[in-house]
């Protein structure tokens, strides 16, 4: 699976079913570090290394995972894609999607959380508040701030159909480059700390 995540020019889908089927961890716009563009006219910017984060997070939680690699169509903007169909088939209670922002519109040290609508902002605000407690307690992460208020965040995910679907509670997590891309385009040194912080938050929120 890791080798597939490292592939720089092959479109594909990675699915893994684990013990905890109530939670699905997704990454719809993965490409390995250094590959900044996807072959998708409606979503050209890749979310570098998010597939590695989603994979490791799902292993940590023993949860289902689905990762779209080097996508030629936008996987989470239609419920007819293989990515969305996998989520629908699993019938989760919670969906956590890992995304990556460029650090300009949201801020270089900002993690944005959205549940897709203003009405569901209570979910994302709770998630963000708990995650903030986790990252603030970790020396290498304490400079990062989380924001889960739908009105205030830039990446609202309001057009992402997997996020706005009412069949599950969703969390759209936007990570800045410094939490995704490290030396030689690999994962940064903070990777394991971040995985644990997000996993501990999920264990508190998704019950």
């Amino acid at each position: 699976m890791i080798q597939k995540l490292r592939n720089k020019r092959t479109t594909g889908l990675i699915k893994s079913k684990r013990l905890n089927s109530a939670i699905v961890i997704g990454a719809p716009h993965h490409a390995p570090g250094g590959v900044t563009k996807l072959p998708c006219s409606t979503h050209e910017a890749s979310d570098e290394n998010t597939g590695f984060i989603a994979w490791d997070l799902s292993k940590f939680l023993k949860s289902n995972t689905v990762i779209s690699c080097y996508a030629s169509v936008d996987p989470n903007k239609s419920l007819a894609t293989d990515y969305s169909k996998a989520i629908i088939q699993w019938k989760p209670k919670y969906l956590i999607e890992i995304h990556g922002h460029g650090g300009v519109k949201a801020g270089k040290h900002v993690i944005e959380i959205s549940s897709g609508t203003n009405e569901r902002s209570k979910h994302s605000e709770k998630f963000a508040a708990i995650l903030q407690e986790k990252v603030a307690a970790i020396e290498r992460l304490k400079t990062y701030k989380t924001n889960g208020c739908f009105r205030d965040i830039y990446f609202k995910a309001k057009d992402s159909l997997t996020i706005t679907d009412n069949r599950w509670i969703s969390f759209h997590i936007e990570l800045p480059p410094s939490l995704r891309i490290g030396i030689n385009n690999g994962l940064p040194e903070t990777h394991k700390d971040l995985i644990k912080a997000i996993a501990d938050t999920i264990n508190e929120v998704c019950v």
Side-chain angles (χ1 to χ4, degrees):
M1 292 299 181
I2 295 299
Q3 192 58 41
K4 288 184 179 180
L5 291 172
R6 290 175 178 157
N7 196 303
K8 295 183 177 181
R9 289 291 183 272
T10 301
T11 297
L13 192 73
I14 294 174
K15 297 189 295 182
S16 182
K17 184 172 174 57
R18 297 190 173 95
L19 292 175
N20 187 1
S21 59
I23 295 173
V24 171
I25 310 295
H29 305 127
H30 168 74
V35 179
T36 60
K37 288 188 176 182
L38 301 174
C40 175
S41 60
T42 57
H43 195 295
E44 287 190 342
S46 73
D47 295 346
E48 293 169 81
N49 289 338
T50 52
F52 295 112
I53 296 170
W55 181 260
D56 288 348
L57 183 59
S58 67
K59 283 176 61 180
F60 193 98
L61 294 167
K62 296 181 174 61
S63 63
N64 291 2
T65 187
V66 56
I67 301 166
S68 184
C69 304
Y70 199 60
S72 57
V73 297
D74 199 344
N76 63 344
K77 300 301 191 300
S78 167
L79 297 181
T81 64
D82 290 341
Y83 173 88
S84 296
K85 286 179 180 178
I87 298 168
I88 294 168
Q89 182 180 17
W90 284 329
K91 300 178 180 178
K93 186 176 179 181
Y94 298 96
L95 169 66
I96 293 90
E97 280 191 355
I98 307 299
H99 295 261
H101 68 76
V104 177
K105 295 172 181 177
K108 291 182 179 180
H109 289 84
V110 175
I111 301 169
E112 287 196 343
I113 317 289
S114 177
S115 290
T117 67
N118 189 52
E119 291 72 26
R120 301 207 301 185
S121 186
K122 61 182 180 181
H123 298 304
S124 55
E125 289 178 48
K126 179 181 179 181
F127 194 103
I130 294 175
L131 181 58
Q132 181 62 57
E133 293 177 1
K134 308 298 182 188
V135 300
I138 299 171
E139 183 65 27
R140 294 192 293 187
L141 296 178
K142 66 181 183 181
T143 59
Y144 292 89
K145 302 298 180 184
T146 63
N147 190 349
C149 179
F150 186 82
R151 295 188 305 274
D152 298 338
I153 60 177
Y154 184 85
F155 297 98
K156 299 180 186 293
K158 58 186 177 65
D159 297 320
S160 297
L161 297 187
T162 53
I163 298 299
T164 58
D165 198 298
N166 287 319
R167 283 174 285 187
W168 46 76
I169 296 173
S170 56
F171 299 102
H172 180 279
I173 302 177
E174 284 276 358
L175 300 173
S178 56
L179 289 177
R180 299 180 287 111
I181 310 166
I183 297 172
N184 296 323
N185 291 318
L187 291 167
E189 293 181 357
T190 54
H191 175 61
K192 290 183 179 179
D193 292 331
L194 178 66
I195 292 294
K196 189 174 189 312
I198 296 176
D200 287 347
T201 301
I202 291 172
N203 283 329
E204 287 191 37
V205 175
C206 303
V207 293

